[in-house]
Amino acid sequence: MNTTHTQAPAIPQKFSRIELRACLRRLTACLALAGLAHSANAFEQPADGVYKDRIDWGVMMDMSGTASGSQVPWVTGVQAYMRKVNEAGGIHGRKINLLVEDDRYDASLDRANYERLVNQTPVLAISGFGNSSAQTAMMPAIRRGKVPIVGAYAITKAGVEPPTPMYYGGYCGFKEMAQVGVGFFTDRMKLKAPKIAVAHMDVAGGKEYAEYVDAEVTKRGGTAKALPIKVGAADVTAQVLEI
C-alpha cells in the first residue's frame, strides 16, 4: 500500500478497536462494491481515482493538531487494515492507495483538502473527516458533489438529516444513541426526573449530541446541562467541578 502526504505513528496499546473494526468492515464492503463496479481488467477512470492496478481513496483527519491524539490511531488502524487487504490481493486485483490529508483540526484546511481530493488527486471516496464543524459547513457542497464521504469519524445532523448517498457515518453521535442511553439509565435507576450533564467538545457534533440528550431527558421530566470543552483545552477540571 502506498500512503502519501503524511506518516502516522503506531497505535497506542490502550486504543480501543471495537468501533474501528466495525467501521473498517463497512469501509471494506464499500470498496468491494466499488471493485465490482470497475472489475473489467482494462477499465480505468482516473477522474474517479480508479486505475488498472489501484483505487485511490482519500482520508481527511487531524494528524498533528489538537485532536490528533484520538484521530491518528484511527488512521493508523485504517492503514494497517488496508495493508492487510492489499497483501491478500486487493479488490479484484487493484490495491487500495490511501491518500491521507492532515487538517490539523482546522475547518479551512478541511475545505482545501476536500478540493484537492476531488479535483487535483481524484479519489473514489473519502473517509475520516473528523471535524464536525467543517462537515456541517461543507455538507451542501458534498451533497451536490460526486465524491461520497464513507465511514465518517464524526457524525453531524447535516450529514444524516435527510439521508443522502453522499454521506455514510461510521462513528457515534446519532439521535438513537441518546434515546437508548438516556432511556436505559433512567429505567435502570428508576429515575422520575433525571438530571444529566453532558461534557462535549465545543464543535458542531458535540453540540448536536448534547441537544439529542436534552430532548430525551426533557421527555422524562428531567433537566440536562451541556458543558462544552474548548478544542485544545489542557484539562476538563472546570467541567468536572461543575458536575
Side-chain angles (χ1 to χ4, degrees):
M1 177 188 69
N2 298 322
T3 302
T4 63
H5 303 303
T6 189
Q7 182 68 34
I11 300 177
Q13 292 296 319
K14 294 183 179 180
F15 177 64
S16 173
R17 292 179 172 81
I18 297 175
E19 295 90 353
L20 176 59
R21 286 173 177 168
C23 181
L24 288 172
R25 284 195 294 270
R26 292 189 288 268
L27 176 56
T28 306
C30 179
L31 286 166
L33 289 174
L36 287 171
H38 305 294
S39 60
N41 290 334
F43 182 86
E44 281 193 298
Q45 197 160 325
D48 291 334
V50 178
Y51 300 86
K52 290 181 180 180
D53 61 344
R54 76 179 195 272
I55 297 172
D56 285 350
W57 192 277
V59 174
M60 295 181 2
M61 290 285 268
D62 179 2
M63 304 299 292
S64 61
T66 57
S68 59
S70 62
Q71 296 194 16
V72 165
W74 190 94
V75 175
T76 306
V78 171
Q79 291 172 324
Y81 193 85
M82 291 310 167
R83 188 178 300 114
K84 176 183 176 182
V85 171
N86 288 340
E87 290 173 352
I91 304 296
H92 294 280
R94 289 179 167 90
K95 300 299 177 67
I96 308 305
N97 181 42
L98 293 179
L99 304 180
V100 181
E101 296 286 352
D102 181 7
D103 64 20
R104 301 201 292 275
Y105 214 71
D106 184 325
S108 64
L109 289 179
D110 264 318
R111 188 175 296 276
N113 291 341
Y114 175 79
E115 293 297 331
R116 183 180 299 111
L117 292 173
V118 170
N119 299 312
Q120 297 179 23
T121 54
V123 294
L124 187 60
I126 297 171
S127 297
F129 209 167
N131 188 319
S132 60
S133 295
Q135 276 192 33
T136 299
M138 295 169 57
M139 196 53 61
I142 292 170
R143 286 174 176 269
R144 295 191 304 267
K146 66 174 185 176
V147 178
I149 306 301
V150 179
Y153 180 85
I155 302 299
T156 60
K157 185 186 299 184
V160 299
E161 297 181 10
T164 170
M166 300 305 295
Y167 182 90
Y168 178 84
Y171 209 61
C172 62
F174 288 106
K175 180 187 302 182
E176 290 78 7
M177 296 177 67
Q179 294 171 339
V180 172
V182 172
F184 173 82
F185 285 106
T186 299
D187 294 343
R188 170 64 67 88
M189 301 176 71
K190 297 181 174 57
L191 302 176
K192 299 299 182 181
K195 293 182 179 180
I196 295 180
V198 182
H200 64 85
M201 292 293 288
D202 192 17
V203 293
K207 295 173 185 176
E208 289 173 1
Y209 194 71
E211 291 171 358
Y212 291 147
V213 172
D214 180 70
E216 293 307 308
V217 173
T218 300
K219 288 180 183 178
R220 291 164 174 77
T223 57
K225 177 65 179 292
L227 303 173
I229 301 168
K230 293 295 183 183
V231 175
D235 60 46
V236 293
T237 300
Q239 289 81 1
V240 171
L241 289 175
E242 186 166 353
I243 292 173

